[in-house]
Amino acid sequence: MRIRKTIFDDGFQAYLTEGASYIGDAGIPVLMDLNNTQIPKDIIPFSKAKHCENKRKYVHFYEHDKEFSTVLTGTKHYLDLLKQFDGVITPDCSMAIGQSKCLQQANTYMNRAVGFYLQKNGIPVIANIRWSDEDSFEYCFLGVPKNGIVSISTHGCITSKDERNLFRTGLSAMIETLSPKAVLVHGCMPDEIFGGFEAYTDFHRYASQFERTHHKKSGV
């Protein structure tokens, strides 16, 4: 009898997590604790990486999801590009208040899945941490090794008082859960949010692309 092979459509990019462990009810992939990262000399958005001459930077995804959607659906095609840089900060897939819980969990999953795959291929990876409301705290920190370097972004997330209060709450929860030795901050660092946390970890701020572009235009 001839045995037929069943061919599955890898629409969920299953190859990203081959060999990975999972954690939590949502089954979030666990990043490897490799201790091979460093505080970046600088960071650059993925959309500008291809034409960047100075590769002594970490590539980040703090931009509209459409700018890096192809990385999520075809990560393996970007290995050669990303390997040229010092490292990568995992994708900043959108998580918003009121967004479906399963979608937020899926976005957390893809954040870690892409990171795990890049690690397997020799690329130093720093976990980007993204949360929405307090309900997301049950899964948004999963899969990230403790006592390491993590990254967050304030750009576009702290425009109102409620947003600033929630961001501070999330920052506190992240520090308590992950005990990071260092936190990279993409965007501004108002004392209203970050004041008092300097006693628990080291912060390293990087100007957002908006800040850099604005400063260039204004001659600063």
Side-chain angles (χ1 to χ4, degrees):
M1 183 175 67
R2 185 177 179 182
I3 299 176
R4 296 181 59 187
K5 273 190 176 181
T6 301
I7 299 176
F8 294 96
D9 179 6
D10 193 16
F12 292 99
Q13 315 304 319
Y15 70 89
L16 293 176
T17 56
E18 289 180 359
S21 299
Y22 301 87
I23 189 170
D25 292 339
I28 303 299
V30 178
L31 294 174
M32 292 182 278
D33 191 2
L34 299 179
N35 196 32
N36 64 345
T37 56
Q38 60 184 325
I39 303 301
K41 298 178 178 67
D42 198 5
I43 61 177
I44 184 171
F46 170 75
S47 62
K48 296 187 177 298
K50 187 176 181 179
H51 302 291
C52 175
E53 294 183 4
N54 178 10
K55 302 294 197 299
R56 301 285 65 82
K57 305 177 182 182
Y58 270 60
V59 177
H60 71 80
F61 300 87
Y62 296 126
E63 46 191 345
H64 196 286
D65 295 55
K66 68 181 180 182
E67 298 291 348
F68 60 86
S69 60
T70 54
V71 177
L72 305 182
T73 57
T75 314
K76 57 189 173 185
H77 301 302
Y78 295 93
L79 284 177
D80 289 342
L81 171 64
L82 296 176
K83 282 182 177 181
Q84 297 176 45
F85 291 84
D86 285 346
V88 174
I89 298 170
T90 58
D92 188 48
C93 304
S94 292
M95 291 178 64
I97 296 173
Q99 194 178 46
S100 165
K101 178 179 179 179
C102 67
L103 179 56
Q104 293 189 62
Q105 290 176 331
N107 284 344
T108 302
Y109 175 98
M110 289 306 299
N111 172 309
R112 310 294 193 265
V114 170
F116 179 81
Y117 179 75
L118 297 181
Q119 285 183 314
K120 281 201 306 181
N121 284 276
I123 298 175
V125 167
I126 292 175
N128 167 60
I129 310 298
R130 172 67 68 182
W131 58 87
S132 56
D133 55 20
E134 294 185 46
D135 289 340
S136 70
F137 296 173
E138 68 179 76
Y139 52 84
C140 69
F141 308 128
L142 294 177
V144 178
K146 293 185 177 182
N147 307 119
I149 303 172
V150 299
S151 184
I152 60 176
S153 177
T154 61
H155 183 67
C157 303
I158 54 174
T159 55
S160 69
K161 183 176 181 179
D162 286 344
E163 287 178 338
R164 291 190 291 274
N165 288 338
L166 182 56
F167 199 96
R168 183 176 174 88
T169 301
L171 179 61
S172 178
M174 182 193 75
I175 291 174
E176 181 179 356
T177 303
L178 299 178
S179 301
K181 66 180 181 182
V183 178
L184 315 182
V185 182
H186 168 266
C188 61
M189 285 184 59
D191 189 64
E192 176 185 358
I193 294 174
F194 289 86
F197 290 119
E198 298 90 342
Y200 301 99
T201 188
D202 292 328
F203 291 98
H204 301 265
R205 191 182 99 81
Y206 300 85
S208 68
Q209 196 61 33
F210 176 84
E211 290 178 81
R212 300 179 194 217
T213 302
H214 178 73
H215 286 173
K216 284 182 180 180
K217 288 181 179 179
S218 62
V220 177

